[in-house]
Amino acid sequence: MTQSTAAPQSHEGAHAEPCIITIFGATGDLTMRKLLPAIYNLTRDGLLNENTVVVGFARRPKTDEQFRAEMLEGVNKFSRNKPTDMAVWEKVAAKLFYHQSTFEDAAGYEKLAQRFQELDKKYNIGGRRLYYLSTSPSEFTSIIDQLGNAGLGNIDPFSAKAWRRVIVEKPFGRDLDSAKKLNTEISHVFDESQVFRIDHYLGKQTVQNMLVLRFANGIFEPLWNRNYIDHVQITVTETLGVEGRGPYYEVSGALRDMVQNHLMQLLALTAMEPPVSLDGDAIRDEKVKALKAIQPLTKEEVCRRTVRGQYTAADIAGKPAKGYREEERVNPKSETETFTALKLFIDNWRWHGVPFYLRSGKRMPKSGSEIVIHFKNAPGVLFSAHDNKLANNTLTLRVQPHEGISLRTNAKTPGTVSRIAPANMEFQYEVAFGSYSPEAYERLLLDAILGDPTLFIRDDEVENAWKIIDSIEAGWAAGAPPITFYPAGTWGPPEADTLLTREGRAWTPLGS
Ligand SMILES: NC(=O)c1ccc[n+]([C@@H]2O[C@H](COP(=O)([O-])OP(=O)(O)OC[C@H]3O[C@@H](n4cnc5c(N)ncnc54)[C@H](OP(=O)(O)O)[C@@H]3O)[C@@H](O)[C@H]2O)c1
């Protein structure tokens, strides 16, 4: 196993302060699957202050005991550490409470404020509050307004100890206008420095390692530009279909659901200039600059450089899989895309003329997320006999599964005949550093408690990403290119391949 030194943003030596975490939507799926297991694991690893209190806020009547029993079930089922260490769980449960109210009821927030005062006094919290909006986006404004009305929102920034922060789950709007409206509404109650917009992709090791890989190694940065890079591919795929989320997906589609956030974030981290420091805003400033350098697409560019696909019924490994239009609560004539592929350009000094190909889809043969940097070919002078077969060097950053990095080089095959074949140099997190791999939500919750915004998305990042997405949606709304179809369990419509093959390139198979 490899020896480690403290990495940037490692929070070594940082201490979590006491605080009250209030989860709005505490009886929902995300709380049970991710948030309580994250709080349990952070407690288990000794990363939270002993006086961390969690209040679950939702509509259904429930006692504290019932809520604790349900959350224990969630931890037993979904925690990465099994079996549950009951001594640790007891610590969490002792400071876990349930607050019943609707999001719209002002009286519910007044009672919440009273409860905060009691808990604050009992556990010496010092007025620190973290609000987690684990609800449908249609509820965000109502909760934020009510927090403001009850005096639970903004706070005197010069207050010595107290802080109030709010974590907002995606989606952040459904286009530029609605995102701006949401940002404005939030800003009436919280200052931008108090807002933590979560994209769980940014909590993953490889994504954080992008900064280390690019800026802590001497060998990559000199090559990280149009002179040496031919193109970049970003792939995020799922084997699952819409899984009962038809009504949500019908108004979202792959472009809004995946590209606007996860893929744009991966692209920004890949393309950004070196930040002046590792400070959260310095990094986010550079990400915004990269996003701003992507010109919104004209209708004609949308037609040439985007693909939208939808899965149809097919057999996957001998089992029948429904088509998207046959899914529950989906319009049988739906034009919603379950797959998209795009070719984007970042119009700046570093990346001028380098295509960034993005693709994301449901019901694909494999689930995974990868960024593949394709370097330009070496001059073929010496190996002209092999020229057609020489693969170009690629650097693959695997976000999931098996987070790691792989460098494809060309090597001579063993034997007397001079043959050249691709050979990969592999780095896998679990092999190099052991299997300790905190879930993204653990890292992000802890960062919010520590007040580190680096891995959260700023308002201008959201808005600049929407500008690009809106231009594509506008082209699609005008009917070009038309939606095309792919059988469930395949890599999308043929047009996605043509996007690259017509330029002499091809998608790198996921996990290769
Ligand atoms: N599920 C995931 O794995 C996942 C992953 C990534 C992101 N997200 C995002 O996380 C957010 C939450 O998702 P989810 O799947 O947990 O949602 P969910 O299962 O539908 O839960 C919604 C929660 O909101 C509460 N609620 C709804 N309306 C209410 C009202 N008027 N007053 C009080 N409580 C109300 C519900 O309480 P009652 O049950 O008491 O009615 C429930 O606790 C969404 O923005 C989603 O996009 C989810």
Side-chain angles (χ1 to χ4, degrees):
M1 247 189 255
T2 312
Q3 292 266 317
S4 68
T5 52
Q9 313 159 45
S10 65
H11 298 315
E12 246 169 60
H15 295 291
E17 298 170 309
C19 69
I20 301 178
I21 305 171
T22 308
I23 303 174
F24 292 88
T27 51
D29 188 56
L30 183 71
T31 307
M32 180 171 254
R33 226 175 240 281
K34 298 288 181 191
L35 303 184
L36 255 296
I39 290 167
Y40 162 79
N41 281 311
L42 288 169
T43 308
R44 186 179 176 275
D45 292 344
L47 295 169
L48 294 185
N49 190 287
E50 293 229 320
N51 284 352
T52 302
V53 173
V54 180
V55 176
F57 186 122
R59 181 165 43 189
R60 289 177 229 183
K62 223 179 266 292
T63 63
D64 289 341
E65 282 69 31
Q66 283 168 330
F67 183 55
R68 287 173 191 146
E70 284 170 18
M71 293 302 109
L72 175 58
E73 249 177 69
V75 170
N76 286 337
K77 201 162 163 194
F78 299 112
S79 162
R80 68 185 162 86
N81 288 302
K82 290 192 178 73
T84 306
D85 180 336
M86 286 310 289
V88 174
W89 172 252
E90 291 306 333
K91 275 194 204 170
V92 175
K95 298 189 183 80
L96 178 62
F97 304 94
Y98 185 73
H99 187 83
Q100 189 269 323
S101 169
T102 64
F103 294 147
E104 303 77 22
D105 181 11
Y109 292 79
E110 278 160 28
K111 285 192 196 130
L112 184 68
Q114 281 165 17
R115 203 152 184 195
F116 282 166
Q117 282 195 355
E118 291 156 20
L119 291 167
D120 209 296
K121 211 164 159 193
K122 185 165 175 194
Y123 297 109
N124 200 14
I125 304 286
R128 301 178 192 91
R129 311 273 183 267
L130 178 63
Y131 305 116
Y132 198 120
L133 305 194
S134 176
T135 71
S136 125
S138 57
E139 310 291 345
F140 292 168
T141 314
S142 161
I143 299 170
I144 299 261
D145 283 352
Q146 293 289 0
L147 284 171
N149 294 341
L152 297 172
N154 210 340
I155 200 164
D156 174 5
F158 300 107
S159 159
K161 290 195 292 185
W163 47 253
R164 289 173 189 178
R165 298 178 188 139
V166 60
I167 300 184
V168 186
E169 268 288 344
K170 73 161 192 125
F172 316 116
R174 71 178 306 276
D175 53 22
L176 179 59
D177 285 347
S178 55
K180 274 187 172 165
K181 188 163 172 272
L182 177 62
N183 285 339
T184 308
E185 282 163 353
I186 294 176
S187 74
H188 292 149
V189 179
F190 293 100
D191 180 74
E192 181 59 26
S193 63
Q194 297 173 288
V195 184
F196 291 68
R197 290 177 198 78
I198 213 164
D199 181 336
H200 68 271
Y201 260 59
L202 297 186
K204 293 185 182 288
Q205 298 285 336
T206 312
V207 174
Q208 294 159 40
N209 200 27
M210 283 286 285
L211 296 176
V212 179
L213 175 101
R214 287 192 54 196
F215 306 124
N217 290 295
I219 60 170
F220 296 117
E221 198 49 28
L223 306 180
W224 212 261
N225 57 54
R226 61 189 299 275
N227 297 326
Y228 298 96
I229 292 178
D230 177 71
H231 72 280
V232 177
Q233 299 183 7
I234 303 178
T235 297
V236 178
T237 57
E238 295 171 286
T239 52
L240 294 176
V242 287
E243 309 298 305
R245 291 170 69 223
Y248 162 75
Y249 207 76
E250 276 286 270
V251 289
S252 164
L255 189 67
R256 291 190 171 102
D257 187 43
M258 299 298 283
V259 180
Q260 191 276 340
N261 38 70
H262 305 325
L263 281 92
M264 283 295 174
Q265 284 295 317
L266 296 180
L267 177 144
L269 283 163
T270 308
M272 68 188 239
E273 294 299 315
V276 290
S277 74
L278 287 169
D279 170 74
D281 272 329
I283 292 174
R284 297 188 299 176
D285 286 346
E286 295 308 331
K287 282 162 65 192
V288 169
K289 277 195 228 160
L291 292 172
K292 277 187 176 165
I294 305 172
Q295 296 307 316
L297 279 67
T298 62
K299 288 212 167 75
E300 193 271 328
E301 286 167 337
V302 172
C303 197
R304 263 190 308 116
R305 293 181 7 208
T306 74
V307 175
R308 50 177 178 151
Q310 191 186 79
Y311 60 83
T312 55
D315 275 3
I316 303 179
K319 283 195 187 151
K322 280 185 191 169
Y324 177 70
R325 289 178 176 180
E326 288 91 61
E327 298 277 10
E328 241 176 81
R329 294 177 292 160
V330 165
N331 178 353
K333 292 186 179 152
S334 175
E335 294 269 300
T336 301
E337 80 288 357
T338 58
F339 173 94
T340 184
L342 317 171
K343 177 180 164 187
L344 299 177
F345 287 103
I346 300 177
D347 242 339
N348 63 15
W349 189 266
R350 184 186 288 265
W351 295 113
H352 181 75
V354 179
F356 281 67
Y357 299 99
L358 276 54
R359 66 175 165 167
S360 182
K362 286 192 177 291
R363 280 272 183 248
M364 302 267 107
K366 273 189 193 173
S367 291
S369 308
E370 284 183 0
I371 302 164
V372 188
I373 315 289
H374 280 254
F375 291 94
K376 290 187 175 169
N377 265 327
V381 193
L382 295 178
F383 299 103
S384 52
H386 301 274
D387 227 358
N388 289 334
K389 292 174 221 150
L390 274 193
N392 61 340
N393 297 131
T394 57
L395 181 72
T396 300
L397 306 159
R398 196 165 301 119
V399 180
Q400 64 184 32
H402 309 301
E403 301 182 27
I405 295 168
S406 164
L407 179 66
R408 182 175 74 182
T409 59
N410 285 309
K412 184 190 164 306
T413 56
T416 47
V417 186
S418 176
R419 286 216 174 91
I420 295 176
N424 283 359
M425 297 183 196
E426 294 282 347
F427 157 70
Q428 270 193 30
Y429 260 94
E430 50 206 14
V431 175
F433 298 115
S435 63
Y436 172 73
S437 186
E439 284 258 339
Y441 277 95
E442 291 172 40
R443 169 70 200 242
L444 295 171
L445 256 177
L446 182 63
D447 280 8
I449 292 169
L450 294 172
D452 181 347
T454 311
L455 302 178
F456 295 86
I457 304 172
R458 214 168 53 188
D459 51 358
D460 49 353
E461 288 183 75
V462 173
E463 292 177 14
N464 280 290
W466 275 124
K467 272 185 201 160
I468 306 151
I469 301 301
D470 277 7
S471 70
I472 300 171
E473 289 286 356
W476 289 359
I483 193 138
T484 47
F485 297 91
Y486 61 100
T490 66
W491 288 111
E495 287 78 357
D497 292 326
T498 315
L499 188 68
L500 275 75
T501 51
R502 69 182 177 210
E503 292 163 357
R505 302 181 175 112
W507 290 106
T508 301
L510 198 71
S512 63

